[in-house]
Amino acid sequence: MGANSEYQVGVALMATDGGDVHQYGVEEPFEAASTAKILTAAAYYHLVEEGSASLDDPLGAFTSEFQIQAMVQDSNNESWSLLMAAVGLSELSEYAASIDVTYDSEVNTLSTAEMAHILAELFEGRLLDQEHTEQLLSYMQDTNYENLIPAAVPDGITVFHKYGLLDDELADAAILSMSSGSYVLVVFTKGADLSDIPERTVVIQEITKAVTAALS
């Protein structure tokens, strides 16, 4: 699953309840594309829990709660920009550091291991309170792009995820909740351009099938 002549692939897999992150292929940071929207959402919810923001605050033409849902479920980039501005770019990096993640919003890079860490912390309730955790996870279901990890997951597994598609990056970061436990699977890919998106989509799906078969 390492780099080949056409594109690069990085994979991270971990149980949400602790343990090591297992990385395969490229371990260095990728451009995180829209998968980083989960970090922005968590940072804004954190402000709400601190009392310095509210989900009813006007943000653009709608409330911040609406913008979070649009950002996560529909991957709306205008919503993302509004929420990053509301959090503050330096504050977003500081929030990431507080949860042991190195993130610079100017370059938007994360490793697969860092993305896996964010999702595990979210799912286990270590980032946000129960209400906000459940709300954010609900937005990570039935999104506007279910072609990657969700398309390859067998029945009986619940998926919460955020995909990313930008320039030469195609990514998906998912929580897989199943009878044997809950796991995070992150697959980041980088190609020369978008022409090989169909091939990379198949790669992500095949990795998902292999992982879910091994974990079930």
Side-chain angles (χ1 to χ4, degrees):
M1 283 189 268
N4 62 27
S5 59
E6 296 178 358
Y7 46 81
Q8 296 177 321
V9 181
V11 179
L13 177 66
M14 68 179 297
T16 62
D17 60 359
D20 295 332
V21 181
H22 302 282
Q23 284 184 276
Y24 309 92
V26 178
E27 297 185 2
E28 292 75 26
F30 286 76
E31 186 176 358
S34 292
T35 63
K37 289 171 178 172
I38 300 304
L39 180 62
T40 300
Y44 191 89
Y45 280 120
H46 180 68
L47 293 180
V48 172
E49 292 178 12
E50 283 187 331
S52 55
S54 166
L55 292 177
D56 295 323
D57 286 347
L59 207 58
F62 303 96
T63 65
S64 58
E65 182 174 4
F66 177 94
Q67 300 293 8
I68 292 172
Q69 181 172 4
M71 176 181 69
V72 175
Q73 198 160 39
D74 299 325
S75 208
N76 187 289
N77 287 326
E78 181 179 354
S79 300
W80 191 15
S81 296
L82 288 167
L83 286 158
M84 282 200 296
V87 173
L89 297 185
S90 62
E91 289 82 2
L92 183 55
S93 296
E94 290 170 7
Y95 173 74
S98 76
I99 60 170
D100 299 321
V101 170
T102 301
Y103 180 73
D104 181 347
S105 59
E106 298 289 346
V107 294
N108 190 34
T109 55
L110 291 168
S111 69
T112 57
E114 288 174 318
M115 191 69 225
H117 173 73
I118 292 168
L119 293 189
E121 293 292 291
L122 170 65
F123 187 76
E124 292 294 331
R126 294 189 290 260
L127 288 190
L128 305 170
D129 67 24
Q130 183 177 354
E131 178 185 358
H132 296 142
T133 297
E134 291 177 354
Q135 185 175 72
L136 180 51
L137 288 173
S138 75
Y139 297 156
M140 296 168 68
Q141 292 186 285
D142 301 320
T143 72
N144 68 329
Y145 200 85
E146 298 286 285
N147 302 17
L148 301 172
I149 289 175
V153 169
D155 292 341
I157 299 176
T158 303
V159 182
F160 310 90
H161 81 115
K162 184 69 196 80
Y163 81 96
L165 175 61
L166 177 68
D167 300 329
D168 54 3
E169 312 284 335
L170 179 67
D172 207 356
I175 299 157
L176 308 175
S177 181
M178 59 186 79
S179 58
S180 61
S182 297
Y183 303 88
V184 176
L185 173 63
V186 178
V187 187
F188 285 173
T189 73
K190 178 180 175 63
D193 51 43
L194 294 179
S195 65
D196 60 1
I197 290 299
E199 290 89 342
R200 285 192 273 158
T201 296
V202 171
V203 167
I204 293 173
Q205 292 173 350
E206 291 300 318
I207 290 169
T208 302
K209 290 175 184 176
V211 166
T212 53
L215 294 176
S216 298

